[in-house]
């Protein structure tokens, strides 16, 4: 997606979605009653979370699924991905806008097919992320784009008593329609206000609408699949020239987007371009969002270890400790304006990135061994 679409400042990303409440109407229930129940629900957002994962946890919990935020982060691969672009065209004054990278919902979006299996629910999405024609359409007339592409799916889900997610910069949990422009109400997935409000930040360009319940994959099988997918993300075998290890939704993201070592290499290349320095806040955002993802990786792997034998848990624990080391390395980085404006400061950050690649390569090896041991 072109960078002009998103506002800069994705709400940031750990805790559970809360106790599941069976609010979804039974197949023969009155949709009017289901819609009325939804109108009374106030989603409780959580700050410092990935807004897509948090929003999905809220929606699924409302519909009666026993889900938690960190499991969604891990199963989707969001906890393990390193999002970045090769040959990026998102430039500002010649500098690659790396701060944009973590704001595009690549990780969650491409993994929705597996998430459907992991949670047992159809997850229908409409996005312009890898569709240039849709991007142009949205830019030229956001209201018409919403009315023609998003509104029919959104309104159908709401009529059946199912909340949705809409993205305008960050993700907004939609609980109903309202008078106004745009005609959407609900609550921000990472907001702290405990009241329903109208979406006033512009027309959304991404929508996720839950469908019917579906077959759910066995948790043991899901663990193996999730671990191997995390390894594939690190090795860039999901998007890009070496893709093919896993089928993904919206594969068009693969034109520029990478998910692991190649993303880190692109970040280092941006730091080495001392002719185009960019802005320190861009690098702060990458570090900030990456740390959020990796904290979820730690919690996800530790929780997985509790349901497997010691031989597996030991491997998972080693991987988790590796991601803890990544978080620690990120916390020690000097991201001041002065540091990012200097060759010394940029080289120091590049060395930390190289350290992270080594740590995550070791973690990937541990996860691969754990997956083999589970089988």
């Amino acid at each position: 997606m072109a960078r002009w679409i998103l506002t800069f400042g994705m709400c940031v990303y750990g805790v559970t979605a809360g106790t599941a409440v069976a609010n979804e109407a039974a197949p023969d229930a009155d949709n009017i009653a289901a819609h009325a129940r939804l109108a009374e629900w106030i989603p409780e957002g959580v700050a410092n979370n990935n807004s897509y994962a948090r929003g999905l946890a809220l929606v699924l919990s409302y519909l009666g699924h026993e889900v938690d935020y960190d499991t969604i982060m891990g199963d989707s691969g969001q906890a393990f991905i390193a999002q970045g672009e090769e040959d990026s065209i998102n430039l500002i004054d010649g500098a690659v806008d790396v701060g944009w990278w973590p704001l595009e919902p690549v990780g969650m979006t491409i993994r929705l097919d597996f998430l459907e299996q992991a949670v047992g629910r159809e997850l229908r999405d409409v996005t312009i992320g890898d569709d240039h024609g849709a991007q142009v359409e949205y830019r030229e007339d956001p209201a018409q784009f919403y009315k023609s592409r998003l509104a029919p799916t959104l309104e159908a889900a709401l009529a059946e008593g199912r909340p949705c997610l809409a993205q305008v910069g960050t993700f907004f949990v939609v609980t109903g329609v309202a008078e106004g422009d745009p005609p959407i109400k609900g609550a921000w997935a990472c907001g702290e206000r405990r009241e329903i409000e109208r979406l006033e930040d512009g027309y959304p360009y991404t929508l996720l609408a839950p469908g019917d319940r579906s077959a759910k994959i066995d948790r043991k099988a899901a663990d193996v699949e999730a671990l191997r997918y995390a390894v594939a993300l690190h090795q860039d075998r999901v998007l890009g020239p070496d893709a093919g290890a896993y089928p993904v939704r919206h594969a068009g993201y693969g034109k520029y987007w990478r998910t692991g070592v190649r993303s880190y290499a692109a970040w280092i290349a941006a730091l080495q371009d001392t002719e185009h320095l960019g802005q320190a806040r861009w690098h702060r955002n990458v570090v900030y969002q990456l740390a959020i993802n990796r904290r979820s990786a730690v919690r996800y792997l530790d929780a997985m270890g509790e349901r497997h034998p010691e031989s597996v848990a030991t491997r998972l624990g080693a991987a988790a400790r590796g991601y803890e080391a990544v978080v620690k390395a990120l916390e020690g980085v000097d991201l001041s304006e002065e540091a990012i404006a200097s060759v010394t400061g940029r080289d120091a950050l590049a060395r930390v990135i190289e350290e992270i690649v080594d740590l995550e390569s070791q973690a990937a090896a541990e996860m691969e061994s754990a997956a083999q041991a589970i089988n």
Side-chain angles (χ1 to χ4, degrees):
M1 185 196 306
R3 67 169 304 282
W4 41 260
I5 295 174
L6 283 185
T7 57
F8 191 91
M10 192 173 209
C11 116
V12 286
Y13 315 148
V15 288
T16 63
T19 304
V21 180
N23 287 300
E24 184 181 20
D28 57 349
D30 187 347
N31 282 342
I32 296 178
H35 183 74
R37 284 194 298 274
L38 177 58
E40 297 175 354
W41 178 51
I42 301 178
E44 296 190 5
V46 180
N48 300 318
N49 277 210
N50 174 293
S51 65
Y52 201 158
R54 170 53 60 190
L56 184 56
L58 287 167
V59 167
L60 292 173
S61 179
Y62 174 83
L63 293 175
H65 294 266
E66 294 185 2
V67 296
D68 70 87
Y69 166 79
D70 287 318
T71 300
I72 289 175
M73 287 286 285
D75 285 353
S76 67
Q78 184 65 45
F80 304 100
I81 199 169
Q83 294 183 188
E85 292 179 298
E86 286 186 326
D87 303 318
S88 178
I89 60 174
N90 288 316
L91 308 176
I92 298 179
D93 297 328
V96 177
D97 181 6
V98 298
W100 158 257
W101 291 352
L103 304 184
E104 178 71 26
V106 176
M108 292 286 295
T109 300
I110 62 176
R111 194 59 167 162
L112 287 174
D113 288 343
F114 177 70
L115 275 179
E116 287 183 329
Q117 300 175 50
V119 303
R121 169 77 60 175
E122 294 175 351
L123 300 172
R124 306 162 183 167
D125 78 304
V126 181
T127 182
I128 62 178
D130 64 337
D131 185 339
H132 178 70
Q135 293 171 18
V136 173
E137 183 182 340
Y138 179 86
R139 178 171 54 186
E140 292 179 347
D141 192 341
Q144 182 57 37
F145 177 88
Y146 167 79
K147 292 174 184 177
S148 64
R149 296 219 186 197
L150 271 62
T153 301
L154 173 66
E155 293 170 4
L158 292 175
E160 296 176 346
R162 298 171 182 169
C164 298
L165 295 179
Q167 185 188 16
V168 185
T170 62
F171 279 84
F172 187 84
V173 181
V174 183
T175 61
V177 295
E179 295 294 329
D181 183 22
I184 297 171
K185 66 180 180 179
W188 292 101
C190 294
E192 296 181 316
R193 295 177 62 181
R194 297 295 178 257
E195 60 183 347
I196 295 298
E197 58 185 300
R198 188 173 67 80
L199 177 61
E200 297 180 340
D201 288 28
Y203 277 94
Y205 42 81
T206 296
L207 174 74
L208 184 135
D212 295 331
R213 284 187 177 268
S214 58
K216 186 175 180 179
I217 191 173
D218 173 75
R219 188 63 248 179
K220 179 179 176 181
D223 285 350
V224 173
E225 170 74 8
L227 290 171
R228 288 183 169 159
Y229 182 75
V231 174
L233 287 172
H234 176 70
Q235 297 173 345
D236 291 288
R237 293 187 289 113
V238 176
L239 294 177
D242 298 322
Y246 290 87
V248 297
R249 195 179 292 190
H250 303 294
Y253 271 123
K255 182 176 182 179
Y256 294 109
W257 289 93
R258 306 295 177 259
T259 62
V261 175
R262 296 176 77 128
S263 292
Y264 287 125
W267 188 9
I268 290 174
L271 286 166
Q272 292 173 338
D273 182 3
T274 54
E275 183 179 348
H276 305 99
L277 296 179
Q279 301 178 33
R281 69 188 182 103
W282 299 349
H283 298 280
R284 284 197 292 268
N285 193 53
V286 177
V287 168
Y288 183 53
Q289 305 288 351
L290 184 59
I292 286 166
N293 290 348
R294 297 305 182 258
R295 290 187 184 103
S296 271
V298 172
R299 294 188 293 263
Y300 178 75
L301 292 169
D302 281 341
M304 187 186 295
E306 293 177 0
R307 56 180 177 263
H308 290 286
E310 183 177 356
S311 59
V312 175
T314 298
R315 297 290 191 184
L316 295 172
R321 304 294 75 76
Y323 287 116
E324 280 184 342
V326 169
V327 173
K328 184 176 180 180
L330 291 170
E331 290 172 345
V333 176
D334 183 355
L335 297 169
S336 65
E337 298 287 344
E338 295 75 15
I340 298 303
S342 70
V343 172
T344 301
R346 296 170 80 90
D347 285 347
L349 177 52
R351 288 194 297 273
V352 170
I353 297 170
E354 291 170 347
E355 178 187 353
I356 288 171
V357 171
D358 290 341
L359 288 168
E360 295 195 351
S361 294
Q362 295 169 28
E366 296 288 0
M367 289 190 292
E368 181 60 44
S369 295
Q372 293 176 3
I374 293 173
N375 273 347

